[in-house]
Amino acid sequence: MIWIMVGIMVGLLLLGFPLMVPLLSAAIYVMLFELDFISTNRIVAQMVSGISSPVLAAVPLFILAADIMTKGRTANRLLDLVMSFFGHLRGGLPVTAAVSCTLFGAVSGSTQATVVAIGGPLRPKLIKAGYKDSFTTALIINASDIALLIPPSIGMIVYGVVSRTSVRELFIAGILPGLLILLFFCVYTYIYSRMKAIPVEDKTPWGLRLKALRGALLPMGFPVIVVGGIYAGFFSPTEAAAVSVAYAFLLEVVIFRSLHIKEIWPIALSTGLITAVVFVLVASGQVFSYVISAARIPRELIGPLIETLAGNPELALIVIALAYFIGCMFVDPIVVILVLTPIFTPLVDATGLDPVHVGVIVTLQAAIGSATPPFGCDIFTAIAIFRRPYWDTIKGTPPFIFILLMSTAVLIAFPQISLFLPQLAFG
């Protein structure tokens, strides 16, 4: 039966159906042939239940804040700040790209918004400085994926809702892993720049550095609001998202005046369309999760693994990471989280793994999948924005994917990297 479900989902995907159709079709198959019933009322009730969590209200709010900042000046101000301090160093431009992607990720929580906001202005500078187009594009795509780990993270919100894990703990847990990956990227870009003998940029005078710092102070308030507010207990993740929207509106419309208030309506409309796609997927995923749980498919599928791995949580985590990594190479990460999380929950419970640490590992696999061929969503965003062929876009990605996989191994071996800040913040 499991293979028939997989065949239904893969077949419908290959035929070009929207992702909700394979999820619901597989669920209806289980209802008909395993549970011996089909109830449209129950399907609708589960779909509503799937999107009724108050935490999910943070998703459209963070998307709206990211859209406002992408259309405004926030990204450029952050980019100017990082460039003024790192641009003159060996490998300064790619380091600037990696740091800027991390900072904007901490502001927007969106990998695709980061590709657009940072990659657009910085990619021509990297190519002009002598870096290969393949290296430049791969760096921007993969550095943007740090946005999924640094809060706010839409991937963590979806995982938290599906697995019933604290989203605020997940947010805090993603900070150190995100900074670790940033460090690995910076080391690699420095080595690459030395090997290729890329010339260094002129050093920015301190006067211009201070000017860039003053210009970026207000945009840097976003991570303070999100992380600081959640850490201090002032906000829930949803409340922090609402404050982020208000802050983005205040900066871009009132203070910077980079946007006219009339431009907010099309931005909000775009946010509504993206949110509708996400919520339809979450609702369909809830139906899928409900029927496979009712049919005891996770126990049937994972039962042998539980018996084998019950005494070896590290190996269990490797199996989980591998499953999510392979899934995210082919399917949208949100769908993979919705489908695999209820299946692997019994294994997580049986092995005593910390769900927050598992959430960080899962989110990291979603980040890797966003930039991994054949179907990483950031790859196609880069193709559209940079107008490059598919092969030219992906051929520089292997070193960065290796770094991300190595980061996964480090996090599995040393779980305290993920758990230190949540334990410090929440006990």
Side-chain angles (χ1 to χ4, degrees):
M1 180 184 67
I2 294 172
W3 292 111
I4 296 177
M5 290 175 58
V6 172
I8 291 172
M9 296 177 69
V10 171
L12 291 174
L13 283 172
L14 292 176
L15 289 172
F17 284 91
L19 287 170
M20 65 169 289
V21 175
L23 285 172
L24 291 177
S25 299
I28 291 172
Y29 168 80
V30 174
M31 282 185 169
L32 285 173
F33 296 101
E34 183 67 21
L35 302 179
D36 297 324
F37 77 89
I38 184 167
S39 169
T40 54
N41 289 337
R42 192 167 299 185
I43 291 174
V44 172
Q46 287 299 317
M47 295 183 76
V48 173
S49 171
I51 58 175
S52 62
S53 171
V55 178
L56 283 175
V59 172
L61 293 172
F62 279 130
I63 293 174
L64 178 58
D67 283 349
I68 292 173
M69 290 180 288
T70 302
K71 298 292 192 300
R73 293 182 183 172
T74 296
N76 287 333
R77 288 173 178 263
L78 292 174
L79 187 57
D80 290 343
L81 172 66
V82 179
M83 186 71 185
S84 67
F85 280 90
F86 294 100
H88 67 284
L89 302 174
R90 176 70 65 183
L93 274 175
V95 167
T96 296
V99 175
S100 298
C101 286
T102 301
L103 285 177
F104 193 75
V107 168
S108 68
S110 168
T111 61
Q112 291 166 292
T114 305
V115 170
V116 175
I118 303 300
L122 197 55
R123 179 174 170 273
K125 294 181 180 180
L126 283 158
I127 294 174
K128 184 178 179 181
Y131 292 94
K132 288 184 177 180
D133 188 11
S134 57
F135 169 84
T136 298
T137 304
L139 170 66
I140 292 169
I141 291 173
N142 286 274
S144 297
D145 293 337
I146 301 175
L148 273 182
L149 287 172
I150 299 287
S153 166
I154 294 173
M156 284 184 171
I157 293 173
V158 174
Y159 177 83
V161 170
V162 176
S163 66
R164 294 187 173 91
T165 304
S166 169
V167 173
R168 66 174 188 164
E169 290 188 36
L170 287 169
F171 273 10
I172 302 300
I175 295 175
L176 290 183
L179 294 178
L180 177 67
I181 294 171
L182 171 62
L183 176 62
F184 288 159
F185 279 5
C186 290
V187 171
Y188 171 69
T189 56
Y190 172 79
I191 295 172
Y192 179 92
S193 300
R194 286 194 69 89
M195 291 177 60
K196 301 296 182 180
I198 305 293
V200 298
E201 300 287 315
D202 294 333
K203 190 173 183 178
T204 304
W206 271 104
L208 294 178
R209 287 182 178 181
L210 293 176
K211 181 180 178 181
L213 179 60
R214 287 194 298 269
L217 279 178
L218 289 177
M220 289 176 66
F222 282 98
V224 174
I225 289 172
V226 175
V227 179
I230 295 173
Y231 186 95
F234 295 144
F235 307 130
S236 68
T238 304
E239 291 165 343
V243 174
S244 293
V245 173
Y247 193 60
F249 181 89
L250 178 66
L251 288 189
E252 303 295 356
V253 176
V254 179
I255 297 177
F256 298 155
R257 296 185 179 180
S258 57
L259 294 176
H260 191 277
I261 194 168
K262 292 181 180 178
E263 296 178 83
I264 299 299
W265 169 246
I267 292 174
L269 180 61
S270 172
T271 298
L273 293 174
I274 297 172
T275 302
V277 173
V278 173
F279 273 46
V280 165
L281 289 176
V282 172
S284 304
Q286 173 62 27
V287 177
F288 183 87
S289 174
Y290 166 75
V291 296
I292 66 170
S293 297
R296 301 184 182 275
I297 292 176
R299 181 65 61 177
E300 176 187 341
L301 192 62
I302 302 298
L305 277 178
I306 292 177
E307 296 177 5
T308 305
L309 302 176
N312 196 335
E314 291 81 11
L315 184 57
L317 196 51
I318 292 173
V319 171
I320 292 171
L322 186 62
Y324 279 91
F325 170 66
I326 294 174
C328 290
M329 288 172 62
F330 298 95
V331 183
D332 185 277
I334 290 179
V335 176
V336 176
I337 291 173
L338 292 171
V339 171
L340 293 187
T341 300
I343 292 176
F344 280 106
T345 296
L347 181 60
V348 173
D349 295 339
T351 52
L353 289 166
D354 190 301
V356 173
H357 181 48
V358 174
V360 171
I361 298 297
V362 167
T363 305
L364 178 53
Q365 304 320 299
I368 300 173
S370 296
T372 302
F375 301 124
C377 58
D378 289 344
I379 293 173
F380 294 97
T381 301
I383 289 172
I385 297 300
F386 305 145
R387 298 182 179 180
R388 300 298 300 161
Y390 179 83
W391 173 248
D392 289 350
T393 304
I394 68 169
K395 67 181 180 181
T397 58
F400 295 100
I401 295 172
F402 174 78
I403 292 172
L404 290 167
L405 292 176
M406 182 181 68
S407 302
T408 301
V410 171
L411 292 176
I412 290 174
F414 302 99
Q416 280 303 114
I417 297 174
S418 302
L419 299 176
F420 172 73
L421 288 181
Q423 291 172 350
L424 181 66
F426 308 116

